[in-house]
Amino acid sequence: MQYRDKTRRLTLSAILVTLAMIFSYIEFLVPISIGIPGIKLGFANLVIVIALYCLDARYAFAINIVRIILNGLMFTGVFAMTYALAGGLLSLLTMCLLKKTGRFSMIGVSMAGGVAHNLGQLIIASLMVENIKMFLYFPVLLFSGLITGILIGTAASVLYSSIPDRLFRN
């Protein structure tokens, strides 16, 4: 029985990696730009939030890392992969910690993840250019992270409530 559960989780993880990659690729092809550099909706994060709640943090971490590395190698390059890794890791860490407290809704967790993602990328950018003034851009990224986090969290919450329990449990 345990073997079957591990196989199920591995298969679901592979499906979620593929779905996250498709969302990332669509966003790469059709950037939703409002004229502000560095702001994206982050469709792939929808999959990560769902994985965090339906599987667990280890699977969400693996799905996120595999998606970022494969997208970096296939579409965006190593430079962009560095930013994505920094943002993705800080975002997932933040979401895991907040979810673990049990005090935040899925929307709140996603919102904090959106802000943390932008902060992680900003930290890497300031280190790469060796200029702390990069943080002057943080208010813009804070606001965009809040908005996109709310949108992704709302979509994840709606999807999560409609996912049958039997898909993720025996």
Side-chain angles (χ1 to χ4, degrees):
M1 205 56 106
Q2 188 177 6
Y3 175 76
R4 182 177 176 207
D5 186 49
K6 286 183 179 180
T7 303
R8 176 189 300 242
R9 287 177 176 265
L10 179 62
T11 303
L12 286 169
S13 296
I15 291 168
L16 292 175
V17 166
T18 305
L19 188 58
M21 288 181 64
I22 290 168
F23 287 166
S24 292
Y25 187 61
I26 290 170
E27 197 166 53
F28 175 73
L29 288 177
V30 186
I32 299 172
S33 176
I34 56 172
I36 302 171
I39 295 178
K40 296 189 318 181
L41 186 53
F43 289 122
N45 294 326
L46 175 65
V47 175
I48 304 307
V49 172
I50 292 292
L52 181 61
Y53 279 83
C54 290
L55 295 169
D56 65 25
R58 294 173 302 158
Y59 284 93
F61 175 80
I63 291 165
N64 204 22
I65 294 299
V66 170
R67 185 233 357 139
I68 290 168
I69 291 172
L70 290 177
N71 276 341
L73 294 174
M74 292 178 12
F75 310 123
T76 60
V78 177
F79 189 71
M81 188 187 337
T82 305
Y83 286 97
L85 279 169
L89 291 175
L90 187 57
S91 173
L92 188 59
L93 175 65
T94 302
M95 290 191 297
C96 288
L97 292 173
L98 293 181
K99 179 183 179 282
K100 193 172 187 173
T101 69
R103 295 181 178 198
F104 297 90
S105 69
M106 187 180 287
I107 296 169
V109 167
S110 175
M111 186 173 61
V115 172
H117 189 276
N118 288 346
L119 178 61
Q121 290 189 332
L122 192 58
I123 290 169
I124 289 298
S126 67
L127 290 173
M128 286 185 161
V129 298
E130 298 178 355
N131 190 341
I132 196 77
K133 290 183 181 180
M134 295 290 292
F135 283 94
L136 293 174
Y137 197 55
F138 186 63
V140 173
L141 295 178
L142 172 70
F143 182 72
S144 70
L146 289 172
I147 299 301
T148 59
I150 290 169
L151 293 172
I152 294 298
T154 302
S157 183
V158 169
L159 284 172
Y160 181 73
S161 66
S162 66
I163 295 173
D165 284 342
R166 70 180 182 275
L167 182 62
F168 289 96
R169 292 166 200 78
N170 287 335

